[in-house]
Amino acid sequence: MRKKLTLIFLSIAMFFCSFAVVGCSSEKLVKQTNESLEDLMETITDEVDKDEDSIFTKGKVHDDCIATDYRVSYGTSKINTYISNDNAKLVYDGETYSQTYLSTYSSLDYVYNSLLSISLNYISKYSDSFEFAIAGEDYTKEQKKSLTNLRKSIKKFDKEFESFEETWEEFLDFYENTESHDGTTEGELDQLRKYKIGYGKLVGQTVDVAQKLLEAREQIIYGVMNETRSANVIKEYAIIKTLDMYYEFFIGELDIKVAYQSTTNTVDQGTFYDIYDAVYNNFDDTIRQLVGIESDVTDMSKKEVKSIMASIDAIINDKNIFIAALKDFNIEEFGVEFNNDLTEYVKENTTARVDLEKMRQIAQDIMPNYIALIEGIMF
């Protein structure tokens, strides 16, 4: 009997000990996450407007639609002139821009800086959120996982940023020591493509940190997004959740892998460019109609929020389908090895036409409705 009682007490003691350890583990995880976010922001802010050689400067990007402290700049370099000149050549007719982003300096502002600024603005805004984490409570497995994923993403960001600093300096040095030809010589364009690869990797990782931060906030602070009543909270969620689609399309599968604008001009290339235009228009509309615009709608009904979140979840699923189709299609293989000949490429990749149609449908039909849905709740 005494032996049985001893075992029972030992079991109880082990239970409470285990609970305490797990509780400490949660507290430690929150502390580590706070420190990681603080270090990330210190790394970034140390490079804001410290001198003419600062990587970041306060300003606006994407036709002045995004105000940020984290605009990648190039000091007094002629690169800024190339970017300004290319931006000036773009003709916006109220609905779309001309097809120029793949080969020009303007994409550094309209795509790269836009994605980076949106992400860093979000990270900066919520970088201290976990200081207000629930004290004395243990986190669930999913909550702990969200914090661990965030810390892992920040660790990868640190490595990419260190690498980017060297890439950025090399970019400036090349142009400062090269006779100016308006940035149009093959050597200058080769350097631009090389820079986009390095910069693109940083952009991709920054988008990932923003998304991991959003997921952790959803898990720990909001619990379930359906509990919010604020249009601004939903808008932020809707924007951040889809950033990886734009990153993968413009940078991950194009600029990093292939100089697609230099591939063979065919009817099938034109078909892909139609999708490209639609994706860019969605990105541009998101920035012009949603980013930076604050709503005074803070008291939506629970039924309204539930309906909107269901639509957002469906679009996020479509976004994931788009990314999967994009990667399966393999633009580099299509453009370089098969010279943009879809008939020949289908012999190699039997799902190519299906992938294109998925991308077309999501870019031309689904995403515009998604943007209109979010815009509709703002006012």
Side-chain angles (χ1 to χ4, degrees):
M1 179 69 176
R2 182 178 296 173
K3 187 175 180 179
K4 288 183 178 179
L5 286 173
T6 300
L7 288 172
I8 291 171
F9 282 123
L10 279 173
S11 298
I12 294 173
M14 287 178 68
F15 170 79
F16 282 108
C17 184
S18 298
F19 182 81
V21 169
V22 173
C24 289
S25 176
S26 294
E27 185 178 348
K28 184 177 180 181
L29 196 53
V30 170
K31 182 180 179 182
Q32 290 172 336
T33 305
N34 283 333
E35 290 172 350
S36 294
L37 284 165
E38 184 179 340
D39 289 344
L40 183 156
M41 289 310 306
E42 184 176 349
T43 297
I44 296 299
T45 54
D46 281 350
E47 285 292 339
V48 177
D49 287 335
K50 62 179 182 181
D51 53 44
E52 66 178 25
D53 295 323
S54 299
I55 293 176
F56 298 109
T57 187
K58 297 178 182 179
K60 293 184 177 181
V61 298
H62 204 102
D63 205 20
D64 292 341
C65 291
I66 307 171
T68 183
D69 289 347
Y70 315 109
R71 177 180 177 270
V72 173
S73 189
Y74 306 98
T76 58
S77 170
K78 66 182 78 170
I79 299 168
N80 282 329
T81 302
Y82 296 162
I83 293 172
S84 296
N85 289 343
D86 275 352
N87 286 351
K89 294 174 186 175
L90 300 174
V91 179
Y92 184 68
D93 63 8
E95 294 183 359
T96 186
Y97 276 108
S98 56
Q99 212 175 68
T100 54
Y101 288 91
L102 290 175
S103 59
T104 67
Y105 295 85
S106 59
S107 64
L108 294 178
D109 182 67
Y110 275 77
V111 177
Y112 287 73
N113 269 357
S114 294
L115 284 167
L116 188 79
S117 296
I118 293 169
S119 300
L120 284 178
N121 282 355
Y122 182 83
I123 294 167
S124 174
K125 183 176 180 179
Y126 295 111
S127 60
D128 62 351
S129 293
F130 298 112
E131 292 178 6
F132 306 102
I134 302 171
E137 286 195 24
D138 184 34
Y139 287 146
T140 66
K141 182 179 178 180
E142 287 303 312
Q143 288 174 323
K144 290 178 183 177
K145 183 179 177 181
S146 71
L147 290 179
T148 299
N149 289 342
L150 174 57
R151 287 184 61 236
K152 286 180 179 178
S153 185
I154 293 173
K155 190 173 182 180
K156 291 178 181 177
F157 171 89
D158 291 337
K159 291 181 179 179
E160 289 297 346
F161 189 78
E162 185 177 344
S163 177
F164 173 70
E165 286 181 293
E166 296 179 7
T167 301
W168 182 82
E169 289 174 0
E170 180 183 332
F171 189 50
L172 265 65
D173 288 344
F174 175 87
Y175 284 85
E176 286 305 307
N177 295 306
T178 300
E179 184 181 351
S180 178
H181 294 283
D182 296 325
T184 59
T185 67
E186 190 58 35
E188 289 172 307
L189 293 177
D190 281 345
Q191 192 66 31
L192 173 62
R193 285 190 286 268
K194 182 179 178 181
Y195 174 67
K196 283 182 175 181
I197 291 172
Y199 187 10
K201 290 178 180 178
L202 175 67
V203 172
Q205 194 55 49
T206 309
V207 168
D208 189 71
V209 172
Q211 292 188 328
K212 293 296 191 299
L213 175 58
L214 181 147
E215 290 164 9
R217 296 186 74 243
E218 182 187 359
Q219 284 287 334
I220 293 169
I221 297 176
Y222 297 141
V224 179
M225 277 293 296
N226 288 358
E227 293 178 2
T228 189
R229 296 290 181 270
S230 168
N232 290 318
V233 171
I234 293 175
K235 180 202 72 170
E236 284 180 336
Y237 180 88
I239 292 170
I240 298 296
K241 274 288 191 178
T242 55
L243 286 186
D244 54 335
M245 181 180 82
Y246 300 116
Y247 164 75
E248 292 293 352
F249 188 81
F250 294 119
I251 301 174
E253 294 298 314
L254 282 171
D255 281 359
I256 286 181
K257 293 186 178 180
V258 60
Y260 187 71
Q261 76 283 352
S262 64
T263 61
T264 306
N265 183 7
T266 67
V267 172
D268 294 331
Q269 187 193 53
T271 299
F272 177 78
Y273 272 130
D274 288 343
I275 295 172
Y276 178 92
D277 282 346
V279 176
Y280 183 79
N281 287 341
N282 293 331
F283 182 55
D284 188 63
D285 287 345
T286 295
I287 291 172
R288 292 177 182 278
Q289 298 171 27
L290 301 178
V291 174
I293 298 174
E294 293 296 305
S295 171
D296 57 1
V297 179
T298 58
D299 58 352
M300 288 186 290
S301 71
K302 189 171 183 178
K303 184 177 180 181
E304 287 175 320
V305 174
K306 185 176 181 180
S307 175
I308 291 165
M309 289 306 301
S311 297
I312 291 176
D313 288 343
I315 296 295
I316 291 169
N317 182 62
D318 286 326
K319 173 211 72 173
N320 292 333
I321 291 172
F322 182 97
I323 293 174
L326 175 68
K327 290 179 177 296
D328 185 65
F329 183 76
N330 195 328
I331 297 167
E332 180 180 15
E333 192 173 66
F334 168 63
V336 177
E337 295 182 33
F338 290 87
N339 299 312
N340 293 311
D341 187 331
L342 188 58
T343 301
E344 289 300 313
Y345 184 46
V346 168
K347 296 176 184 177
E348 172 71 18
N349 182 351
T350 57
T351 62
R353 289 188 188 278
V354 175
D355 291 333
L356 271 181
E357 177 55 25
K358 286 179 182 177
M359 287 189 282
R360 185 209 63 75
Q361 184 178 16
I362 292 170
Q364 294 182 352
D365 301 333
I366 295 175
M367 288 304 296
N369 291 333
Y370 176 62
I371 295 165
L373 169 72
I374 305 305
E375 185 182 20
I377 71 170
M378 298 295 290
F379 307 103

